[in-house]
Amino acid sequence: MTAPVPSAPQPVSATDPLRDVVAVMDRLYSPGGCPWDREQTHESLVRYLLEEAHELADAIETGDRAGMREELGDLLLQVLFHARIASEEPDPFTVDDVAADLAAKLVRRHPHVFADADATDLHEQWDAIKKAEKQRTSVLEGISHTQGALARAQKVLSRAGRGGLGDVVGAALAAPSGGAPAAVGDEGTTADERLGRELLALVARAEEDGLDAEAALRGELRRVEGEIVAAETRRAEGTA
């Protein structure tokens, strides 16, 4: 005997698919919905959130339009999932609260669009508004420590440069230990330290040239991976 197939949630509106998918997520997480979904927590979903973000980035960078559309949906699912879990926790909030906060923040941080402010240095304006909102005391506050070291390094250098601390970065790159500039072969440095300096110098060059170091490395890796797969195919066909 086959299990009965649950009926799909009734669409809220034929022209409101966003509201419909919120209803689907609510059904999945509610009692009587999906047991696996019901067991999830914010912490257990972190790995999926990161995976979906990376898969979306891959679809964008490879020009996969169908994949991009699908991965955007998967990333939206993570947003809805976290909001649905939060709706049953202490100090609850819903996806409507998330959306309202986002709309207000976008308006607040774009005074050159929604008010009569001058559109001068938009990066500087954005940083100043964020600093005032979050009462930050350092340009480095808010930089995620979970992202890859290469991307995080460029974010640190970018924030420092926009905060008028480019000279501090330059001095730190020249003398990482706070003393005189050290040559690559100095006995006072380890191989790890020398490699770290060289990598950070490359990131600094990418930032200066307006390039995304992480994206550049991913692109080069794709090229090398293509060569590896082609070589494996030739070997399997006996043409290598």
Side-chain angles (χ1 to χ4, degrees):
M1 179 178 179
T2 59
V5 178
S7 59
Q10 292 300 310
V12 174
S13 166
T15 58
D16 194 353
L18 280 176
R19 187 53 57 186
D20 289 345
V21 75
V22 170
V24 170
M25 185 67 249
D26 178 64
R27 172 71 180 276
L28 289 173
Y29 189 73
S30 296
C34 175
W36 184 89
D37 286 7
R38 189 67 186 175
E39 292 175 355
Q40 300 315 303
T41 65
H42 296 300
E43 291 75 17
S44 71
L45 291 174
V46 167
R47 58 175 290 192
Y48 303 107
L49 175 64
L50 295 174
E51 286 174 4
E52 300 302 353
H54 286 302
E55 289 172 7
L56 173 58
D58 193 54
I60 292 171
E61 292 180 353
T62 57
D64 181 358
R65 295 286 296 178
M68 181 179 169
R69 177 173 174 172
E70 179 182 359
E71 299 304 338
L72 279 168
D74 289 344
L75 197 57
L76 175 60
L77 168 61
Q78 295 303 310
V79 174
L80 300 178
F81 210 151
H82 282 280
R84 179 62 183 85
I85 292 172
S87 70
E88 295 187 7
E89 295 178 325
D91 190 19
F93 59 83
T94 68
V95 68
D96 286 333
D97 297 319
V98 172
D101 290 348
L102 175 58
K105 181 167 67 175
L106 289 174
V107 170
R108 190 170 60 248
R109 293 188 181 177
H110 292 81
H112 56 288
V113 176
F114 299 101
D116 295 326
D118 293 331
T120 52
D121 188 326
L122 297 183
H123 283 302
E124 184 178 332
Q125 174 181 276
W126 181 275
D127 289 341
I129 294 173
K130 284 182 66 175
K131 185 176 181 180
E133 286 178 357
K134 298 180 177 294
Q135 299 182 329
R136 289 175 174 168
T137 58
S138 170
V139 296
L140 302 183
E141 289 182 42
I143 297 178
S144 171
H145 286 236
T146 63
Q147 60 185 318
L150 192 63
R152 181 166 172 258
Q154 187 155 8
K155 190 71 172 179
V156 167
L157 297 184
S158 173
R159 285 275 194 90
R162 290 185 352 218
L165 297 166
D167 57 336
V168 176
V169 171
L173 288 173
S177 299
V184 172
D186 277 3
E187 294 182 0
T189 61
T190 66
D192 281 350
E193 289 171 337
R194 292 194 296 273
L195 179 60
R197 294 177 188 179
E198 292 167 10
L199 289 171
L200 193 54
L202 284 174
V203 173
R205 194 177 81 189
E207 179 64 19
E208 184 178 346
D209 293 343
L211 303 174
D212 184 334
E214 186 91 16
L217 182 56
R218 285 197 300 267
E220 185 61 11
L221 275 172
R222 287 194 189 94
R223 185 188 68 80
V224 173
E225 287 167 347
E227 295 293 333
I228 292 171
V229 171
E232 288 175 329
T233 300
R234 292 194 298 271
R235 183 179 297 175
E237 295 173 347
T239 59

